[in-house]
Every structure is written in structure tokens, then in C-alpha cells.
Amino acid sequence: AFKDDQSVALTLGNLGRLNFGIGNFNRAVKHFKLDLKILDKSAGAEGLKSKMMNQIASCLIELQDFPEAIKYIKRSIQHAKVASPDIVFFAQYTLAYYYLQTHEVVKSKQIISTLRKISGKEVNPENKKLLQSRIDYLCGLRALFNGKPSVARKYFLKTEEAY
């Protein structure tokens, strides 16, 4: 039965990502929440649970449901702490993005500082370039919010170079 649950969870996650990609955030949230319900029955799936909560939070940020998004971000970080540094990074990244969207630039700066520490040591070396590009993207957004478009442009160009 568990293998069937895993297949259903994988399918729901894929449907959620597909809907997120086309901007259908409400439908994506429904799929991600169903996926999370299945994962909650699984022992040892902390990393997957964290990722799913992160994806739900990302949808909620896009829907501007900030109070609900922060709940999922905080839960995601708790699950990530027992998973891996890479998953902690992405949970913290979503938190920084949340703070930028809610115009809490000082808090986002603190989280970006944490992201730099995480990406500088414990993460999977294969992910370092991706993680740095995510930090550059957040710094570009922060510069935009601070009214510094030329600084933002430099960060966004660095992000493009990473891909």
C-alpha cells in the first residue's frame, strides 16, 4: 500500500508543480496539500515534507495570502532542520522571498545573510552555483525595493550568468 501512496504523492506533486508553472496557484495548492497529507503518514520523509510545505508557501505568496504562507514556511524550516542543509537553504530562501514580498527588507537582509552562511559550507557542492544564483536574485529584489535599479540589474545579470 505504501508504494501506491508514494506513486499518488509523486503524481500530486507533479500536478502541483505543473499548475504552479502555468500560474494556476490555487489548483497547485490543492495538489500540494493532498501530497502533504500522504507524506504526513510517512516516517522519515522530513525533506519531502519540507519541500512540499515550501511549495505551498510559494503558491500562497503568489496569491498574496501572506499569513497562511508564513505558517507553511515556519513548518517547512522545522522539517528541513532534520533533513539536509540544502533543504534548509530552500526553506530559508522562501522565507527571505516572503519578507521581500511583504516589504520587510531588514528581515530579508538577515535571512540573506543566513543563506550566505549555509551556501558557503554544508551544502552539496553540486548545488553551490544554483544557491548563489538564488541569493543574487534575492539581493536584486531587495535592491529594487530599496530604489536602486542599477544595483538590482547587476545582481540579476549575475543570476542569468549562473544558468
Side-chain angles (χ1 to χ4, degrees):
F2 181 69
K3 288 195 180 238
D4 289 342
D5 283 352
Q6 284 181 322
S7 296
V8 171
L10 181 64
T11 301
L12 289 167
N14 287 337
L15 286 169
R17 283 183 284 286
L18 177 70
N19 278 286
F20 183 90
I22 61 172
N24 193 343
F25 304 115
N26 284 314
R27 181 168 257 166
V29 167
K30 287 179 186 174
H31 290 298
F32 290 145
K33 283 184 176 180
L34 289 170
D35 190 352
L36 185 58
K37 196 179 258 187
I38 293 169
L39 291 173
D40 279 339
K41 297 177 197 172
S42 309
E46 300 306 309
L48 293 173
K49 290 175 191 175
S50 177
K51 288 178 181 179
M52 199 53 51
M53 289 177 204
N54 229 10
Q55 291 177 319
I56 293 168
S58 295
C59 290
L60 294 169
I61 290 169
E62 295 301 325
L63 293 167
Q64 298 190 353
D65 185 350
F66 298 120
E68 196 65 18
I70 194 69
K71 290 178 193 174
Y72 278 97
I73 293 168
K74 288 179 179 178
R75 286 178 59 202
S76 173
I77 291 169
Q78 290 308 310
H79 285 280
K81 286 180 181 175
V82 296
S84 75
D86 292 47
I87 294 173
V88 170
F89 179 94
F90 286 107
Q92 292 281 350
Y93 171 85
T94 304
L95 181 60
Y97 185 72
Y98 165 84
Y99 284 138
L100 285 168
Q101 293 299 315
T102 57
H103 303 284
E104 297 179 65
V105 179
V106 173
K107 287 184 180 179
S108 73
K109 185 176 181 180
Q110 293 166 341
I111 301 297
I112 290 169
S113 175
T114 300
L115 291 174
R116 284 192 172 112
K117 290 175 190 165
I118 294 170
S119 71
K121 47 183 177 179
E122 304 163 12
V123 298
N124 179 341
E126 294 173 11
N127 289 340
K128 284 192 182 266
K129 193 172 185 177
L130 170 66
L131 302 183
Q132 184 57 52
S133 73
R134 294 285 176 103
I135 292 169
D136 290 337
Y137 177 74
L138 290 172
C139 290
L141 285 178
R142 191 181 70 216
L144 279 178
F145 285 127
N146 285 331
K148 299 178 180 176
S150 61
V151 173
R153 186 174 186 279
K154 288 177 188 174
Y155 280 113
F156 292 145
L157 286 173
K158 284 171 63 176
T159 302
E160 281 183 22
E161 289 169 10
Y163 293 101

